[in-house]
Amino acid sequence: MSLVEQALSYVRAISPYQPGKPITELAREMGIPVDKIVKLASNENPLGMSPLARQAVEKAISGIERYPDQFDLIAKVAERCGVAQNQVVLGNGSNDVLDLIARVFLAPGRSAIFAQHAFAVYPLATLSTGAELISTPAKHYGHDLAAMRAAIRPDTRIVWIANPNNPTGNFLPYPEVRTFLDAVPQDVVVVLDEAYNEYLPPAERVDTAAWIEDFPNLVVTRTFSKIFGLAGLRVGYALASADIADLMNRVRQPFNVNNLAIAAAVAALDDHRFVAESYELNRRGMEQLVAGLNHLGLEYIPSHGNFVTFKAGDGAAVNQKLLKQGVIVRPIGGYGLPEWLRVTIGTEPENARFLEALEKAL
Ligand SMILES: *Cc1c(COP(=O)(O)O)cnc(C)c1O
């Protein structure tokens, strides 16, 4: 038997994650100068990183010879979210905490539920444990919570929910999520991934961390990769009951978040001005993109994140034509949406450049 055949069959069956194309890669492929490329493919913050976080990183460089201490960030997150420190689990990006949850609860013979067109990391985290992935059909491109409830089997241990969802941008009003939690058996973990939480209008936001007291099976995850602009540093967190957090910490690499990421995240949480500016830029950029898509007569899915998914027809072909013009968006054929493309909201000039390029590409 070959070495590859000796690998776990469920690992061999995984389809690899397809990241957004890096600017440097497109530059190499097409010979386009890096500064002429607009990347709107990975829901990154077009304003860059929080200035306070930058200062903190610079300061934290001295001390890099030491192993990291997570205390300050755990304390800050706990205070900000109104939970105890033993309810916070830090991750190397929130992808990392999703993986930790999977490793605590999933194995061959168990199952997890996710919705069609939901975030690609849920299948990856599930399948890498050998558990079975149950996919429920989407409703208006988003999660169908009734179908997800109905799909729960005796061997189901996790239900994955992204709210807002990526790549479709759908948002489940929180009363519906609460009703769902009421209906789910208490021994099934519900992961509520709120990577785009800070982009929700204040009126739509709910303090889901406070729900953990009522629902000890609820795990809320958030990230510093999106509105805080720290995607490259890799830091996110989970909020959970103390019992679940303890289990997640047992499978966590002791030093999974690096010194610079910890320092940056602590500072970013206090950079209210940067978060407010990012929110405003996103709100205006969303209006700009939606107006442009309407002008082009393109269907789009109303989004509650920092991106919008629109129907391009032949997504792969339109994507190629955008790439040739130095504009990187995200094809989402891998999500079962080959006719659609996802574009991240950029700065005003970036959005304009994208809309111009799109008009030519159609
Ligand atoms: C971007 C995103 C994340 C964040 O991933 P990180 O590992 O924290 O960078 C998590 N969930 C969803 C749905 C996302 O779109």
Side-chain angles (χ1 to χ4, degrees), residues 17 42-43 91-98 118-122 161-167 193-196 221-226 230-232 234-237 306-307 335 342:
Y17 182 77
S42 301
N43 301 346
N92 192 263
S94 58
N95 278 210
D96 188 24
V97 293
L98 299 174
F119 189 42
V121 168
Y122 312 144
I161 296 174
N163 202 35
N165 184 42
N166 171 22
D193 178 347
E194 299 186 327
Y196 300 97
T221 67
R222 302 210 185 119
T223 183
F224 290 93
S225 298
K226 304 286 156 61
L230 302 177
R234 314 301 305 126
V235 51
Y237 59 91
N306 65 344
F307 56 90
Y335 284 90
R342 188 194 72 192

mmCIF file of all heavy atoms in Angstrom, residues 17 42-43 91-98 118-122 161-167 193-196 221-226 230-232 234-237 306-307 335 342, ligand 1:
data_model
loop_
_atom_site.group_PDB
_atom_site.id
_atom_site.type_symbol
_atom_site.label_atom_id
_atom_site.label_comp_id
_atom_site.label_asym_id
_atom_site.label_seq_id
_atom_site.Cartn_x
_atom_site.Cartn_y
_atom_site.Cartn_z
ATOM 1 N N TYR A 17 -9.156 23.821 1.239
ATOM 2 C CA TYR A 17 -9.687 25.198 1.287
ATOM 3 C C TYR A 17 -9.075 26.010 0.153
ATOM 4 O O TYR A 17 -7.886 25.899 -0.123
ATOM 5 C CB TYR A 17 -9.319 25.826 2.641
ATOM 6 C CG TYR A 17 -9.835 27.227 2.837
ATOM 7 C CD1 TYR A 17 -11.165 27.453 3.149
ATOM 8 C CD2 TYR A 17 -8.993 28.328 2.695
ATOM 9 C CE1 TYR A 17 -11.655 28.741 3.330
ATOM 10 C CE2 TYR A 17 -9.476 29.621 2.873
ATOM 11 C CZ TYR A 17 -10.804 29.811 3.191
ATOM 12 O OH TYR A 17 -11.281 31.092 3.371
ATOM 13 N N SER A 42 -11.080 38.708 0.348
ATOM 14 C CA SER A 42 -10.963 37.937 1.595
ATOM 15 C C SER A 42 -11.564 38.655 2.809
ATOM 16 O O SER A 42 -11.222 38.337 3.942
ATOM 17 C CB SER A 42 -9.496 37.590 1.859
ATOM 18 O OG SER A 42 -8.989 36.831 0.771
ATOM 19 N N ASN A 43 -12.458 39.608 2.539
ATOM 20 C CA ASN A 43 -13.155 40.315 3.621
ATOM 21 C C ASN A 43 -12.207 40.956 4.633
ATOM 22 O O ASN A 43 -12.481 41.005 5.835
ATOM 23 C CB ASN A 43 -14.159 39.378 4.318
ATOM 24 C CG ASN A 43 -15.190 38.848 3.342
ATOM 25 O OD1 ASN A 43 -15.311 39.372 2.232
ATOM 26 N ND2 ASN A 43 -15.925 37.826 3.735
ATOM 27 N N GLY A 91 -7.720 31.793 20.083
ATOM 28 C CA GLY A 91 -7.319 30.970 18.949
ATOM 29 C C GLY A 91 -6.395 31.705 18.007
ATOM 30 O O GLY A 91 -6.356 32.938 17.985
ATOM 31 N N ASN A 92 -5.657 30.925 17.233
ATOM 32 C CA ASN A 92 -4.804 31.449 16.171
ATOM 33 C C ASN A 92 -5.727 31.750 14.988
ATOM 34 O O ASN A 92 -5.823 31.002 14.021
ATOM 35 C CB ASN A 92 -3.768 30.374 15.822
ATOM 36 C CG ASN A 92 -2.664 30.905 14.956
ATOM 37 O OD1 ASN A 92 -2.686 30.757 13.744
ATOM 38 N ND2 ASN A 92 -1.707 31.544 15.554
ATOM 39 N N GLY A 93 -6.471 32.847 15.115
ATOM 40 C CA GLY A 93 -7.622 33.096 14.259
ATOM 41 C C GLY A 93 -8.799 32.329 14.851
ATOM 42 O O GLY A 93 -8.606 31.402 15.646
ATOM 43 N N SER A 94 -10.018 32.738 14.479
ATOM 44 C CA SER A 94 -11.154 31.997 15.039
ATOM 45 C C SER A 94 -11.281 30.630 14.377
ATOM 46 O O SER A 94 -11.888 29.721 14.934
ATOM 47 C CB SER A 94 -12.447 32.804 14.964
ATOM 48 O OG SER A 94 -12.742 33.152 13.652
ATOM 49 N N ASN A 95 -10.675 30.454 13.198
ATOM 50 C CA ASN A 95 -10.617 29.096 12.600
ATOM 51 C C ASN A 95 -10.055 28.098 13.601
ATOM 52 O O ASN A 95 -10.500 26.963 13.681
ATOM 53 C CB ASN A 95 -9.697 29.075 11.368
ATOM 54 C CG ASN A 95 -10.380 29.577 10.118
ATOM 55 O OD1 ASN A 95 -10.062 29.168 9.021
ATOM 56 N ND2 ASN A 95 -11.340 30.465 10.275
ATOM 57 N N ASP A 96 -9.067 28.534 14.332
ATOM 58 C CA ASP A 96 -8.417 27.663 15.308
ATOM 59 C C ASP A 96 -9.411 27.228 16.390
ATOM 60 O O ASP A 96 -9.481 26.037 16.733
ATOM 61 C CB ASP A 96 -7.232 28.429 15.932
ATOM 62 C CG ASP A 96 -6.348 27.586 16.837
ATOM 63 O OD1 ASP A 96 -6.310 26.356 16.675
ATOM 64 O OD2 ASP A 96 -5.679 28.170 17.706
ATOM 65 N N VAL A 97 -10.211 28.147 16.903
ATOM 66 C CA VAL A 97 -11.157 27.738 17.956
ATOM 67 C C VAL A 97 -12.261 26.846 17.390
ATOM 68 O O VAL A 97 -12.763 25.961 18.078
ATOM 69 C CB VAL A 97 -11.751 28.918 18.776
ATOM 70 C CG1 VAL A 97 -10.683 29.595 19.604
ATOM 71 C CG2 VAL A 97 -12.504 29.900 17.933
ATOM 72 N N LEU A 98 -12.615 27.046 16.118
ATOM 73 C CA LEU A 98 -13.610 26.143 15.500
ATOM 74 C C LEU A 98 -13.053 24.720 15.481
ATOM 75 O O LEU A 98 -13.750 23.745 15.781
ATOM 76 C CB LEU A 98 -13.952 26.605 14.075
ATOM 77 C CG LEU A 98 -14.570 28.009 13.948
ATOM 78 C CD1 LEU A 98 -14.735 28.397 12.474
ATOM 79 C CD2 LEU A 98 -15.914 28.098 14.665
ATOM 80 N N ALA A 118 -22.841 27.608 3.692
ATOM 81 C CA ALA A 118 -22.261 28.227 4.896
ATOM 82 C C ALA A 118 -20.730 28.134 4.825
ATOM 83 O O ALA A 118 -20.163 27.488 3.939
ATOM 84 C CB ALA A 118 -22.794 27.579 6.164
ATOM 85 N N PHE A 119 -20.075 28.757 5.768
ATOM 86 C CA PHE A 119 -18.618 28.939 5.791
ATOM 87 C C PHE A 119 -17.867 27.610 5.623
ATOM 88 O O PHE A 119 -18.173 26.623 6.304
ATOM 89 C CB PHE A 119 -18.265 29.598 7.122
ATOM 90 C CG PHE A 119 -16.845 30.065 7.245
ATOM 91 C CD1 PHE A 119 -16.203 30.710 6.202
ATOM 92 C CD2 PHE A 119 -16.166 29.894 8.443
ATOM 93 C CE1 PHE A 119 -14.910 31.162 6.350
ATOM 94 C CE2 PHE A 119 -14.872 30.352 8.602
ATOM 95 C CZ PHE A 119 -14.237 30.984 7.550
ATOM 96 N N ALA A 120 -16.857 27.616 4.757
ATOM 97 C CA ALA A 120 -16.154 26.386 4.363
ATOM 98 C C ALA A 120 -15.360 25.732 5.488
ATOM 99 O O ALA A 120 -15.000 24.559 5.395
ATOM 100 C CB ALA A 120 -15.205 26.703 3.205
ATOM 101 N N VAL A 121 -15.074 26.501 6.529
ATOM 102 C CA VAL A 121 -14.270 25.918 7.602
ATOM 103 C C VAL A 121 -15.064 24.886 8.423
ATOM 104 O O VAL A 121 -14.481 23.979 9.006
ATOM 105 C CB VAL A 121 -13.674 27.042 8.481
ATOM 106 C CG1 VAL A 121 -13.072 26.498 9.765
ATOM 107 C CG2 VAL A 121 -12.592 27.787 7.682
ATOM 108 N N TYR A 122 -16.399 24.974 8.419
ATOM 109 C CA TYR A 122 -17.187 23.995 9.189
ATOM 110 C C TYR A 122 -17.033 22.586 8.624
ATOM 111 O O TYR A 122 -16.797 21.638 9.391
ATOM 112 C CB TYR A 122 -18.662 24.400 9.293
ATOM 113 C CG TYR A 122 -18.881 25.846 9.693
ATOM 114 C CD1 TYR A 122 -19.923 26.588 9.172
ATOM 115 C CD2 TYR A 122 -18.011 26.471 10.581
ATOM 116 C CE1 TYR A 122 -20.107 27.914 9.518
ATOM 117 C CE2 TYR A 122 -18.188 27.794 10.934
ATOM 118 C CZ TYR A 122 -19.238 28.517 10.391
ATOM 119 O OH TYR A 122 -19.409 29.827 10.727
ATOM 120 N N ILE A 161 -23.354 27.464 13.012
ATOM 121 C CA ILE A 161 -24.155 28.563 12.457
ATOM 122 C C ILE A 161 -23.265 29.799 12.315
ATOM 123 O O ILE A 161 -22.611 30.206 13.282
ATOM 124 C CB ILE A 161 -25.341 28.917 13.387
ATOM 125 C CG1 ILE A 161 -26.309 27.724 13.491
ATOM 126 C CG2 ILE A 161 -26.080 30.154 12.890
ATOM 127 C CD1 ILE A 161 -27.426 27.938 14.488
ATOM 128 N N ALA A 162 -23.253 30.383 11.135
ATOM 129 C CA ALA A 162 -22.536 31.648 10.932
ATOM 130 C C ALA A 162 -23.576 32.748 10.856
ATOM 131 O O ALA A 162 -24.498 32.677 10.037
ATOM 132 C CB ALA A 162 -21.734 31.605 9.635
ATOM 133 N N ASN A 163 -23.425 33.765 11.681
ATOM 134 C CA ASN A 163 -24.406 34.850 11.677
ATOM 135 C C ASN A 163 -23.730 36.196 11.887
ATOM 136 O O ASN A 163 -23.299 36.485 12.996
ATOM 137 C CB ASN A 163 -25.456 34.606 12.771
ATOM 138 C CG ASN A 163 -26.737 35.348 12.489
ATOM 139 O OD1 ASN A 163 -27.141 35.489 11.336
ATOM 140 N ND2 ASN A 163 -27.392 35.830 13.529
ATOM 141 N N PRO A 164 -23.617 37.030 10.836
ATOM 142 C CA PRO A 164 -23.994 36.803 9.446
ATOM 143 C C PRO A 164 -23.187 35.674 8.819
ATOM 144 O O PRO A 164 -22.088 35.374 9.281
ATOM 145 C CB PRO A 164 -23.649 38.128 8.755
ATOM 146 C CG PRO A 164 -23.596 39.147 9.839
ATOM 147 C CD PRO A 164 -23.138 38.424 11.052
ATOM 148 N N ASN A 165 -23.760 35.094 7.747
ATOM 149 C CA ASN A 165 -23.062 34.000 7.068
ATOM 150 C C ASN A 165 -22.090 34.538 6.014
ATOM 151 O O ASN A 165 -22.319 35.566 5.408
ATOM 152 C CB ASN A 165 -24.082 33.080 6.385
ATOM 153 C CG ASN A 165 -23.407 31.870 5.746
ATOM 154 O OD1 ASN A 165 -22.504 31.278 6.334
ATOM 155 N ND2 ASN A 165 -23.810 31.509 4.539
ATOM 156 N N ASN A 166 -21.027 33.814 5.853
ATOM 157 C CA ASN A 166 -20.078 34.034 4.763
ATOM 158 C C ASN A 166 -20.114 32.755 3.921
ATOM 159 O O ASN A 166 -19.974 31.676 4.501
ATOM 160 C CB ASN A 166 -18.681 34.254 5.367
ATOM 161 C CG ASN A 166 -17.593 34.275 4.316
ATOM 162 O OD1 ASN A 166 -17.855 34.526 3.148
ATOM 163 N ND2 ASN A 166 -16.373 34.003 4.745
ATOM 164 N N PRO A 167 -20.268 32.784 2.628
ATOM 165 C CA PRO A 167 -20.150 33.916 1.708
ATOM 166 C C PRO A 167 -21.462 34.584 1.287
ATOM 167 O O PRO A 167 -21.431 35.410 0.375
ATOM 168 C CB PRO A 167 -19.536 33.240 0.475
ATOM 169 C CG PRO A 167 -20.185 31.902 0.417
ATOM 170 C CD PRO A 167 -20.355 31.502 1.865
ATOM 171 N N ASP A 193 -21.025 31.516 15.088
ATOM 172 C CA ASP A 193 -19.828 32.195 14.585
ATOM 173 C C ASP A 193 -20.209 33.625 14.215
ATOM 174 O O ASP A 193 -20.944 33.853 13.260
ATOM 175 C CB ASP A 193 -19.311 31.398 13.377
ATOM 176 C CG ASP A 193 -18.098 32.028 12.714
ATOM 177 O OD1 ASP A 193 -17.770 33.192 12.996
ATOM 178 O OD2 ASP A 193 -17.492 31.335 11.867
ATOM 179 N N GLU A 194 -19.694 34.572 14.988
ATOM 180 C CA GLU A 194 -20.055 35.978 14.784
ATOM 181 C C GLU A 194 -18.860 36.792 14.281
ATOM 182 O O GLU A 194 -18.558 37.866 14.814
ATOM 183 C CB GLU A 194 -20.592 36.566 16.092
ATOM 184 C CG GLU A 194 -21.849 35.849 16.572
ATOM 185 C CD GLU A 194 -22.486 36.516 17.784
ATOM 186 O OE1 GLU A 194 -21.757 37.082 18.623
ATOM 187 O OE2 GLU A 194 -23.719 36.461 17.882
ATOM 188 N N ALA A 195 -18.213 36.288 13.232
ATOM 189 C CA ALA A 195 -17.031 36.971 12.702
ATOM 190 C C ALA A 195 -17.345 38.390 12.214
ATOM 191 O O ALA A 195 -16.468 39.250 12.194
ATOM 192 C CB ALA A 195 -16.425 36.150 11.553
ATOM 193 N N TYR A 196 -18.603 38.614 11.811
ATOM 194 C CA TYR A 196 -18.969 39.921 11.244
ATOM 195 C C TYR A 196 -19.842 40.725 12.202
ATOM 196 O O TYR A 196 -20.461 41.713 11.813
ATOM 197 C CB TYR A 196 -19.684 39.728 9.892
ATOM 198 C CG TYR A 196 -18.788 39.009 8.921
ATOM 199 C CD1 TYR A 196 -18.889 37.627 8.739
ATOM 200 C CD2 TYR A 196 -17.784 39.688 8.235
ATOM 201 C CE1 TYR A 196 -18.030 36.955 7.892
ATOM 202 C CE2 TYR A 196 -16.926 39.025 7.385
ATOM 203 C CZ TYR A 196 -17.046 37.660 7.219
ATOM 204 O OH TYR A 196 -16.185 37.000 6.388
ATOM 205 N N THR A 221 -18.245 32.473 18.746
ATOM 206 C CA THR A 221 -16.871 32.750 18.296
ATOM 207 C C THR A 221 -16.817 34.107 17.592
ATOM 208 O O THR A 221 -17.761 34.508 16.911
ATOM 209 C CB THR A 221 -16.334 31.655 17.345
ATOM 210 O OG1 THR A 221 -17.066 31.686 16.120
ATOM 211 C CG2 THR A 221 -16.451 30.275 17.960
ATOM 212 N N ARG A 222 -15.710 34.793 17.792
ATOM 213 C CA ARG A 222 -15.492 36.104 17.142
ATOM 214 C C ARG A 222 -14.023 36.203 16.727
ATOM 215 O O ARG A 222 -13.204 35.396 17.132
ATOM 216 C CB ARG A 222 -15.852 37.249 18.101
ATOM 217 C CG ARG A 222 -17.297 37.163 18.568
ATOM 218 C CD ARG A 222 -17.913 38.510 18.868
ATOM 219 N NE ARG A 222 -19.254 38.299 19.414
ATOM 220 C CZ ARG A 222 -19.664 38.690 20.632
ATOM 221 N NH1 ARG A 222 -18.848 39.383 21.411
ATOM 222 N NH2 ARG A 222 -20.885 38.435 21.050
ATOM 223 N N THR A 223 -13.727 37.227 15.948
ATOM 224 C CA THR A 223 -12.382 37.312 15.376
ATOM 225 C C THR A 223 -11.845 38.737 15.372
ATOM 226 O O THR A 223 -12.621 39.701 15.380
ATOM 227 C CB THR A 223 -12.390 36.767 13.931
ATOM 228 O OG1 THR A 223 -11.056 36.786 13.421
ATOM 229 C CG2 THR A 223 -13.263 37.610 13.006
ATOM 230 N N PHE A 224 -10.531 38.851 15.327
ATOM 231 C CA PHE A 224 -9.868 40.135 15.107
ATOM 232 C C PHE A 224 -9.488 40.332 13.644
ATOM 233 O O PHE A 224 -8.836 41.305 13.293
ATOM 234 C CB PHE A 224 -8.625 40.244 16.004
ATOM 235 C CG PHE A 224 -8.972 40.384 17.459
ATOM 236 C CD1 PHE A 224 -9.061 39.278 18.274
ATOM 237 C CD2 PHE A 224 -9.257 41.632 17.993
ATOM 238 C CE1 PHE A 224 -9.410 39.400 19.615
ATOM 239 C CE2 PHE A 224 -9.614 41.774 19.329
ATOM 240 C CZ PHE A 224 -9.693 40.657 20.140
ATOM 241 N N SER A 225 -9.879 39.375 12.786
ATOM 242 C CA SER A 225 -9.466 39.428 11.381
ATOM 243 C C SER A 225 -10.273 40.404 10.543
ATOM 244 O O SER A 225 -9.837 40.811 9.478
ATOM 245 C CB SER A 225 -9.618 38.047 10.732
ATOM 246 O OG SER A 225 -8.792 37.105 11.346
ATOM 247 N N LYS A 226 -11.466 40.771 10.978
ATOM 248 C CA LYS A 226 -12.349 41.527 10.110
ATOM 249 C C LYS A 226 -12.333 43.003 10.503
ATOM 250 O O LYS A 226 -11.435 43.718 10.101
ATOM 251 C CB LYS A 226 -13.746 40.900 10.123
ATOM 252 C CG LYS A 226 -13.734 39.408 9.733
ATOM 253 C CD LYS A 226 -13.508 39.166 8.264
ATOM 254 C CE LYS A 226 -12.929 37.804 7.905
ATOM 255 N NZ LYS A 226 -13.705 36.633 8.251
ATOM 256 N N LEU A 230 -6.830 42.688 11.634
ATOM 257 C CA LEU A 230 -5.629 41.934 12.036
ATOM 258 C C LEU A 230 -5.574 40.525 11.416
ATOM 259 O O LEU A 230 -5.005 39.605 12.020
ATOM 260 C CB LEU A 230 -5.577 41.819 13.574
ATOM 261 C CG LEU A 230 -5.564 43.138 14.353
ATOM 262 C CD1 LEU A 230 -5.580 42.862 15.861
ATOM 263 C CD2 LEU A 230 -4.339 43.982 13.990
ATOM 264 N N ALA A 231 -6.124 40.384 10.205
ATOM 265 C CA ALA A 231 -6.217 39.034 9.605
ATOM 266 C C ALA A 231 -4.869 38.324 9.542
ATOM 267 O O ALA A 231 -4.771 37.119 9.767
ATOM 268 C CB ALA A 231 -6.841 39.113 8.214
ATOM 269 N N GLY A 232 -3.811 39.096 9.226
ATOM 270 C CA GLY A 232 -2.495 38.481 9.056
ATOM 271 C C GLY A 232 -1.839 38.058 10.363
ATOM 272 O O GLY A 232 -0.900 37.267 10.358
ATOM 273 N N ARG A 234 -3.538 36.590 12.885
ATOM 274 C CA ARG A 234 -4.245 35.385 13.301
ATOM 275 C C ARG A 234 -4.610 35.393 14.784
ATOM 276 O O ARG A 234 -3.883 34.887 15.633
ATOM 277 C CB ARG A 234 -3.412 34.107 12.989
ATOM 278 C CG ARG A 234 -2.790 34.032 11.622
ATOM 279 C CD ARG A 234 -3.817 34.103 10.495
ATOM 280 N NE ARG A 234 -4.854 33.087 10.634
ATOM 281 C CZ ARG A 234 -6.159 33.370 10.647
ATOM 282 N NH1 ARG A 234 -6.617 34.608 10.538
ATOM 283 N NH2 ARG A 234 -7.020 32.402 10.777
ATOM 284 N N VAL A 235 -5.743 35.992 15.085
ATOM 285 C CA VAL A 235 -6.230 35.925 16.473
ATOM 286 C C VAL A 235 -7.751 36.043 16.508
ATOM 287 O O VAL A 235 -8.354 36.853 15.792
ATOM 288 C CB VAL A 235 -5.509 36.954 17.398
ATOM 289 C CG1 VAL A 235 -5.524 38.359 16.832
ATOM 290 C CG2 VAL A 235 -6.050 36.929 18.818
ATOM 291 N N GLY A 236 -8.348 35.169 17.284
ATOM 292 C CA GLY A 236 -9.795 35.157 17.474
ATOM 293 C C GLY A 236 -10.085 34.502 18.812
ATOM 294 O O GLY A 236 -9.164 34.135 19.540
ATOM 295 N N TYR A 237 -11.366 34.367 19.144
ATOM 296 C CA TYR A 237 -11.682 33.767 20.444
ATOM 297 C C TYR A 237 -13.039 33.091 20.442
ATOM 298 O O TYR A 237 -13.880 33.356 19.583
ATOM 299 C CB TYR A 237 -11.605 34.807 21.565
ATOM 300 C CG TYR A 237 -12.531 36.001 21.417
ATOM 301 C CD1 TYR A 237 -13.814 35.994 21.965
ATOM 302 C CD2 TYR A 237 -12.123 37.143 20.738
ATOM 303 C CE1 TYR A 237 -14.654 37.089 21.842
ATOM 304 C CE2 TYR A 237 -12.966 38.250 20.609
ATOM 305 C CZ TYR A 237 -14.226 38.214 21.155
ATOM 306 O OH TYR A 237 -15.051 39.305 21.034
ATOM 307 N N ASN A 306 -19.160 42.588 5.547
ATOM 308 C CA ASN A 306 -18.335 43.573 4.847
ATOM 309 C C ASN A 306 -18.058 43.115 3.421
ATOM 310 O O ASN A 306 -16.965 43.306 2.885
ATOM 311 C CB ASN A 306 -17.025 43.832 5.607
ATOM 312 C CG ASN A 306 -16.143 42.594 5.660
ATOM 313 O OD1 ASN A 306 -16.602 41.471 5.404
ATOM 314 N ND2 ASN A 306 -14.877 42.779 5.981
ATOM 315 N N PHE A 307 -19.061 42.493 2.816
ATOM 316 C CA PHE A 307 -18.930 41.922 1.470
ATOM 317 C C PHE A 307 -20.335 41.778 0.906
ATOM 318 O O PHE A 307 -21.329 41.856 1.654
ATOM 319 C CB PHE A 307 -18.261 40.537 1.544
ATOM 320 C CG PHE A 307 -19.006 39.590 2.459
ATOM 321 C CD1 PHE A 307 -20.020 38.777 1.966
ATOM 322 C CD2 PHE A 307 -18.739 39.547 3.823
ATOM 323 C CE1 PHE A 307 -20.727 37.928 2.804
ATOM 324 C CE2 PHE A 307 -19.451 38.700 4.665
ATOM 325 C CZ PHE A 307 -20.444 37.888 4.157
ATOM 326 N N TYR A 335 -18.634 26.737 -2.984
ATOM 327 C CA TYR A 335 -19.754 26.826 -2.037
ATOM 328 C C TYR A 335 -21.072 26.419 -2.707
ATOM 329 O O TYR A 335 -22.150 26.665 -2.167
ATOM 330 C CB TYR A 335 -19.890 28.253 -1.517
ATOM 331 C CG TYR A 335 -18.858 28.642 -0.481
ATOM 332 C CD1 TYR A 335 -17.644 29.207 -0.856
ATOM 333 C CD2 TYR A 335 -19.096 28.451 0.879
ATOM 334 C CE1 TYR A 335 -16.702 29.574 0.089
ATOM 335 C CE2 TYR A 335 -18.163 28.813 1.832
ATOM 336 C CZ TYR A 335 -16.970 29.378 1.426
ATOM 337 O OH TYR A 335 -16.033 29.746 2.373
ATOM 338 N N ARG A 342 -18.272 36.845 -4.869
ATOM 339 C CA ARG A 342 -18.347 37.616 -3.621
ATOM 340 C C ARG A 342 -17.314 38.732 -3.681
ATOM 341 O O ARG A 342 -16.142 38.476 -3.960
ATOM 342 C CB ARG A 342 -18.055 36.708 -2.426
ATOM 343 C CG ARG A 342 -18.306 37.387 -1.075
ATOM 344 C CD ARG A 342 -17.699 36.600 0.062
ATOM 345 N NE ARG A 342 -16.257 36.730 0.033
ATOM 346 C CZ ARG A 342 -15.410 35.993 0.744
ATOM 347 N NH1 ARG A 342 -15.868 35.053 1.541
ATOM 348 N NH2 ARG A 342 -14.119 36.186 0.662
HETATM 349 C C1 LIG B 1 -13.517 35.446 8.151
HETATM 350 C C2 LIG B 1 -14.347 34.500 8.930
HETATM 351 C C3 LIG B 1 -13.871 33.979 10.119
HETATM 352 C C4 LIG B 1 -12.559 34.443 10.671
HETATM 353 O O1 LIG B 1 -11.543 33.565 10.512
HETATM 354 P P1 LIG B 1 -10.166 33.877 11.265
HETATM 355 O O2 LIG B 1 -9.574 32.543 11.425
HETATM 356 O O3 LIG B 1 -10.524 34.492 12.577
HETATM 357 O O4 LIG B 1 -9.387 34.781 10.393
HETATM 358 C C5 LIG B 1 -14.668 33.124 10.839
HETATM 359 N N1 LIG B 1 -15.894 32.808 10.408
HETATM 360 C C6 LIG B 1 -16.400 33.299 9.284
HETATM 361 C C7 LIG B 1 -17.777 32.950 8.892
HETATM 362 C C8 LIG B 1 -15.629 34.147 8.497
HETATM 363 O O5 LIG B 1 -16.107 34.615 7.361
#
